[in-house]
Amino acid sequence: MCSDNKVAEGEYRSPWTNNVFQKNGENGSAKNNQLDETLLDLERKFNNVWSVYTNLYYGSEAVGSCFLTETDSKNFVGIFCIHKSCSDGAWNSYHVVQIDDPNEKTCQYHVTSTVWVVVNPEHGYDDTTVDISAHLTKSTSSVMKIEKFSLDEYHLQNIGTIVEANELDMRSHLEQVHLPNTEAVMDKIQKEPETPRQVNPLMGMIMDSSLLKKSKMGQ
């Protein structure tokens, strides 16, 4: 449940059935924001693929959903979300996809990807508790090949390619730049001057965190 599938106060649309339900699981009273049957079928295809992607990269504990909304030009806007929580912290990624009117051979896709990650280190300092967090956003526009006779399949492939590339790039920045820099600052703030440590356990915890581990695709 999120703002992207909210149709009334406390009521949400299922991307699988197109039915409206309440937070407690009961049927909602609001009228369904019915998608066109063609767009609803595409939304289901996206959710099937997105579930596989979510499980492959983040494991069975993660939750992923996709929601499509029709635009005035009869195209669509797509929202692709992933959430995972574990003892090490939480990962949330959110991808907003817009497409231009396709021509006979190409279509332009606009993707804005945002990642929030929170790490809960067990750093061993008795009197201070610290959460390390990072927030990244990346926007990408790409013109990609399509075929009108199988447009849905090309949308699935093209959007998936862009979203996966954005996530991998942001994960790399988190691992190699943002979290190490944050760790270095926190180390300077919290380190006890009279007992310098040769190895900082915080960085090892972050890099070993199940939040940032990638499954090896095709290996």
Side-chain angles (χ1 to χ4, degrees):
M1 295 181 292
C2 64
S3 60
D4 301 295
N5 68 325
K6 185 176 181 179
V7 297
E9 187 61 36
E11 299 191 349
Y12 302 84
R13 182 183 68 84
S14 167
W16 301 99
T17 65
N18 208 29
N19 293 330
V20 174
F21 62 92
Q22 298 177 356
K23 284 185 177 181
N24 60 10
E26 297 181 359
N27 292 333
S29 59
K31 293 182 179 179
N32 287 14
N33 277 12
Q34 292 284 351
L35 292 181
D36 174 84
E37 191 63 34
T38 301
L39 190 59
L40 180 60
D41 182 61
L42 179 60
E43 185 182 64
R44 289 173 180 145
K45 291 179 181 177
F46 272 124
N47 272 292
N48 287 331
V49 174
W50 194 239
S51 293
V52 174
Y53 174 90
T54 301
N55 183 70
L56 182 63
Y57 275 99
Y58 299 95
S60 59
E61 303 87 357
V63 178
S65 296
C66 164
F67 306 98
L68 301 185
T69 303
E70 190 173 18
T71 64
D72 293 338
S73 61
K74 301 302 180 182
N75 286 323
F76 65 85
V77 174
I79 311 295
F80 297 78
C81 312
I82 292 176
H83 170 75
K84 180 178 180 180
S85 296
C86 64
S87 59
D88 293 327
W91 170 281
N92 291 280
S93 54
Y94 187 90
H95 308 272
V96 180
V97 178
Q98 296 176 290
I99 66 170
D100 293 343
D101 291 330
N103 58 35
E104 291 299 320
K105 295 184 177 181
T106 62
C107 181
Q108 186 164 25
Y109 300 86
H110 307 276
V111 180
T112 301
S113 300
T114 303
V115 167
W116 296 268
V117 60
V118 178
V119 178
N120 304 317
E122 297 178 1
H123 43 66
Y125 296 99
D126 295 333
D127 56 349
T128 305
T129 299
V130 176
D131 290 339
I132 294 181
S133 63
H135 169 271
L136 294 177
T137 298
K138 178 176 181 176
S139 296
T140 304
S141 294
S142 299
V143 176
M144 306 186 77
K145 177 184 176 181
I146 62 166
E147 295 287 350
K148 283 292 188 72
F149 67 86
S150 56
L151 190 56
D152 285 1
E153 284 68 25
Y154 275 91
H155 283 330
L156 286 166
Q157 178 179 335
N158 292 340
I159 292 173
T161 298
I162 298 171
V163 167
E164 182 179 33
N166 278 5
E167 280 217 341
L168 289 175
D169 182 62
M170 290 191 290
R171 289 164 67 106
S172 177
H173 276 77
L174 284 170
E175 293 176 353
Q176 299 177 22
V177 179
H178 293 274
L179 291 177
N181 287 347
T182 303
E183 182 271 337
V185 172
M186 295 308 303
D187 186 50
K188 290 180 180 179
I189 292 173
Q190 293 192 309
K191 182 181 292 183
E192 299 178 9
E194 67 276 10
T195 56
R197 290 172 287 121
Q198 297 297 318
V199 178
N200 191 324
L202 176 58
M203 197 62 232
M205 191 287 301
I206 292 173
M207 303 314 292
D208 287 339
S209 169
S210 58
L211 284 171
L212 298 180
K213 286 183 179 178
K214 298 186 287 291
S215 299
K216 296 182 178 179
M217 300 185 64
Q219 297 182 5

mmCIF file of all heavy atoms in Angstrom, residues 56-58 167-168 171-172 175-176 209-217:
data_model
loop_
_atom_site.group_PDB
_atom_site.id
_atom_site.type_symbol
_atom_site.label_atom_id
_atom_site.label_comp_id
_atom_site.label_asym_id
_atom_site.label_seq_id
_atom_site.Cartn_x
_atom_site.Cartn_y
_atom_site.Cartn_z
ATOM 1 N N LEU A 56 15.366 -11.997 -7.092
ATOM 2 C CA LEU A 56 16.721 -12.299 -7.547
ATOM 3 C C LEU A 56 17.758 -11.405 -6.884
ATOM 4 O O LEU A 56 18.806 -11.873 -6.448
ATOM 5 C CB LEU A 56 16.797 -12.148 -9.074
ATOM 6 C CG LEU A 56 18.136 -12.475 -9.736
ATOM 7 C CD1 LEU A 56 18.502 -13.932 -9.528
ATOM 8 C CD2 LEU A 56 18.075 -12.153 -11.226
ATOM 9 N N TYR A 57 17.456 -10.106 -6.783
ATOM 10 C CA TYR A 57 18.435 -9.165 -6.246
ATOM 11 C C TYR A 57 18.338 -8.976 -4.733
ATOM 12 O O TYR A 57 19.331 -8.657 -4.085
ATOM 13 C CB TYR A 57 18.285 -7.797 -6.926
ATOM 14 C CG TYR A 57 19.049 -7.685 -8.229
ATOM 15 C CD1 TYR A 57 18.401 -7.852 -9.445
ATOM 16 C CD2 TYR A 57 20.409 -7.417 -8.238
ATOM 17 C CE1 TYR A 57 19.088 -7.747 -10.637
ATOM 18 C CE2 TYR A 57 21.115 -7.309 -9.422
ATOM 19 C CZ TYR A 57 20.445 -7.475 -10.618
ATOM 20 O OH TYR A 57 21.133 -7.376 -11.804
ATOM 21 N N TYR A 58 17.136 -9.152 -4.168
ATOM 22 C CA TYR A 58 16.943 -8.791 -2.764
ATOM 23 C C TYR A 58 16.447 -9.937 -1.892
ATOM 24 O O TYR A 58 16.337 -9.787 -0.686
ATOM 25 C CB TYR A 58 15.966 -7.606 -2.661
ATOM 26 C CG TYR A 58 16.479 -6.376 -3.363
ATOM 27 C CD1 TYR A 58 16.108 -6.095 -4.676
ATOM 28 C CD2 TYR A 58 17.365 -5.514 -2.734
ATOM 29 C CE1 TYR A 58 16.590 -4.980 -5.336
ATOM 30 C CE2 TYR A 58 17.858 -4.395 -3.381
ATOM 31 C CZ TYR A 58 17.465 -4.129 -4.691
ATOM 32 O OH TYR A 58 17.956 -3.034 -5.340
ATOM 33 N N GLU A 167 19.700 0.996 -10.856
ATOM 34 C CA GLU A 167 19.885 0.420 -9.518
ATOM 35 C C GLU A 167 21.321 -0.043 -9.299
ATOM 36 O O GLU A 167 21.907 0.189 -8.245
ATOM 37 C CB GLU A 167 18.912 -0.745 -9.309
ATOM 38 C CG GLU A 167 17.516 -0.322 -8.950
ATOM 39 C CD GLU A 167 16.855 -1.254 -7.948
ATOM 40 O OE1 GLU A 167 17.316 -2.400 -7.811
ATOM 41 O OE2 GLU A 167 15.872 -0.831 -7.316
ATOM 42 N N LEU A 168 21.894 -0.714 -10.285
ATOM 43 C CA LEU A 168 23.269 -1.192 -10.138
ATOM 44 C C LEU A 168 24.234 -0.028 -9.963
ATOM 45 O O LEU A 168 25.175 -0.097 -9.169
ATOM 46 C CB LEU A 168 23.658 -2.037 -11.348
ATOM 47 C CG LEU A 168 22.985 -3.407 -11.458
ATOM 48 C CD1 LEU A 168 23.363 -4.079 -12.772
ATOM 49 C CD2 LEU A 168 23.357 -4.292 -10.282
ATOM 50 N N ARG A 171 23.690 1.411 -6.423
ATOM 51 C CA ARG A 171 24.235 0.488 -5.420
ATOM 52 C C ARG A 171 25.752 0.599 -5.366
ATOM 53 O O ARG A 171 26.362 0.582 -4.300
ATOM 54 C CB ARG A 171 23.820 -0.941 -5.746
ATOM 55 C CG ARG A 171 22.353 -1.237 -5.522
ATOM 56 C CD ARG A 171 21.950 -2.513 -6.220
ATOM 57 N NE ARG A 171 22.585 -3.672 -5.617
ATOM 58 C CZ ARG A 171 21.942 -4.544 -4.847
ATOM 59 N NH1 ARG A 171 20.661 -4.355 -4.568
ATOM 60 N NH2 ARG A 171 22.563 -5.578 -4.344
ATOM 61 N N SER A 172 26.372 0.702 -6.545
ATOM 62 C CA SER A 172 27.820 0.840 -6.607
ATOM 63 C C SER A 172 28.275 2.120 -5.906
ATOM 64 O O SER A 172 29.259 2.118 -5.156
ATOM 65 C CB SER A 172 28.275 0.832 -8.066
ATOM 66 O OG SER A 172 29.670 1.032 -8.170
ATOM 67 N N GLU A 175 28.028 1.669 -2.114
ATOM 68 C CA GLU A 175 29.064 0.807 -1.559
ATOM 69 C C GLU A 175 30.443 1.457 -1.591
ATOM 70 O O GLU A 175 31.237 1.301 -0.667
ATOM 71 C CB GLU A 175 29.104 -0.512 -2.334
ATOM 72 C CG GLU A 175 27.863 -1.376 -2.145
ATOM 73 C CD GLU A 175 27.909 -2.629 -2.997
ATOM 74 O OE1 GLU A 175 28.833 -2.752 -3.821
ATOM 75 O OE2 GLU A 175 27.022 -3.480 -2.848
ATOM 76 N N GLN A 176 30.734 2.197 -2.666
ATOM 77 C CA GLN A 176 32.092 2.675 -2.882
ATOM 78 C C GLN A 176 32.320 4.115 -2.463
ATOM 79 O O GLN A 176 33.468 4.509 -2.218
ATOM 80 C CB GLN A 176 32.455 2.519 -4.364
ATOM 81 C CG GLN A 176 32.413 1.080 -4.856
ATOM 82 C CD GLN A 176 32.709 0.950 -6.336
ATOM 83 O OE1 GLN A 176 33.331 1.828 -6.940
ATOM 84 N NE2 GLN A 176 32.263 -0.136 -6.943
ATOM 85 N N SER A 209 26.515 -6.353 4.982
ATOM 86 C CA SER A 209 25.074 -6.276 5.191
ATOM 87 C C SER A 209 24.320 -6.968 4.076
ATOM 88 O O SER A 209 24.643 -6.834 2.905
ATOM 89 C CB SER A 209 24.641 -4.808 5.262
ATOM 90 O OG SER A 209 23.245 -4.702 5.209
ATOM 91 N N SER A 210 23.285 -7.699 4.458
ATOM 92 C CA SER A 210 22.451 -8.358 3.460
ATOM 93 C C SER A 210 21.663 -7.355 2.629
ATOM 94 O O SER A 210 21.148 -7.684 1.580
ATOM 95 C CB SER A 210 21.468 -9.328 4.147
ATOM 96 O OG SER A 210 20.661 -8.632 5.069
ATOM 97 N N LEU A 211 21.600 -6.105 3.088
ATOM 98 C CA LEU A 211 20.903 -5.088 2.299
ATOM 99 C C LEU A 211 21.607 -4.804 0.982
ATOM 100 O O LEU A 211 20.991 -4.507 -0.029
ATOM 101 C CB LEU A 211 20.826 -3.770 3.093
ATOM 102 C CG LEU A 211 19.815 -3.693 4.224
ATOM 103 C CD1 LEU A 211 20.042 -2.410 5.010
ATOM 104 C CD2 LEU A 211 18.407 -3.745 3.678
ATOM 105 N N LEU A 212 22.943 -4.876 1.000
ATOM 106 C CA LEU A 212 23.716 -4.466 -0.163
ATOM 107 C C LEU A 212 24.325 -5.619 -0.922
ATOM 108 O O LEU A 212 25.101 -5.426 -1.840
ATOM 109 C CB LEU A 212 24.832 -3.488 0.263
ATOM 110 C CG LEU A 212 24.333 -2.198 0.885
ATOM 111 C CD1 LEU A 212 25.504 -1.326 1.267
ATOM 112 C CD2 LEU A 212 23.427 -1.452 -0.077
ATOM 113 N N LYS A 213 24.020 -6.844 -0.528
ATOM 114 C CA LYS A 213 24.554 -7.992 -1.250
ATOM 115 C C LYS A 213 23.753 -8.222 -2.515
ATOM 116 O O LYS A 213 22.549 -8.251 -2.509
ATOM 117 C CB LYS A 213 24.520 -9.237 -0.370
ATOM 118 C CG LYS A 213 25.587 -9.232 0.715
ATOM 119 C CD LYS A 213 25.550 -10.529 1.502
ATOM 120 C CE LYS A 213 26.642 -10.535 2.569
ATOM 121 N NZ LYS A 213 26.579 -11.770 3.376
ATOM 122 N N LYS A 214 24.450 -8.411 -3.609
ATOM 123 C CA LYS A 214 23.804 -8.680 -4.887
ATOM 124 C C LYS A 214 23.886 -10.160 -5.209
ATOM 125 O O LYS A 214 24.933 -10.773 -5.048
ATOM 126 C CB LYS A 214 24.465 -7.882 -6.017
ATOM 127 C CG LYS A 214 24.368 -6.376 -5.835
ATOM 128 C CD LYS A 214 24.897 -5.658 -7.036
ATOM 129 C CE LYS A 214 26.403 -5.719 -7.139
ATOM 130 N NZ LYS A 214 27.073 -4.946 -6.120
ATOM 131 N N SER A 215 22.807 -10.714 -5.697
ATOM 132 C CA SER A 215 22.852 -12.088 -6.193
ATOM 133 C C SER A 215 23.634 -12.104 -7.487
ATOM 134 O O SER A 215 23.572 -11.169 -8.281
ATOM 135 C CB SER A 215 21.419 -12.600 -6.438
ATOM 136 O OG SER A 215 20.687 -12.600 -5.259
ATOM 137 N N LYS A 216 24.355 -13.139 -7.741
ATOM 138 C CA LYS A 216 25.122 -13.266 -8.967
ATOM 139 C C LYS A 216 24.210 -13.778 -10.074
ATOM 140 O O LYS A 216 23.740 -14.911 -10.038
ATOM 141 C CB LYS A 216 26.314 -14.205 -8.783
ATOM 142 C CG LYS A 216 27.339 -13.671 -7.776
ATOM 143 C CD LYS A 216 28.514 -14.614 -7.666
ATOM 144 C CE LYS A 216 29.558 -14.066 -6.689
ATOM 145 N NZ LYS A 216 30.701 -14.994 -6.544
ATOM 146 N N MET A 217 23.963 -12.943 -11.046
ATOM 147 C CA MET A 217 23.059 -13.313 -12.113
ATOM 148 C C MET A 217 23.768 -14.188 -13.124
ATOM 149 O O MET A 217 24.828 -13.849 -13.618
ATOM 150 C CB MET A 217 22.516 -12.069 -12.805
ATOM 151 C CG MET A 217 21.750 -11.145 -11.874
ATOM 152 S SD MET A 217 21.001 -9.761 -12.772
ATOM 153 C CE MET A 217 19.848 -10.646 -13.810
#
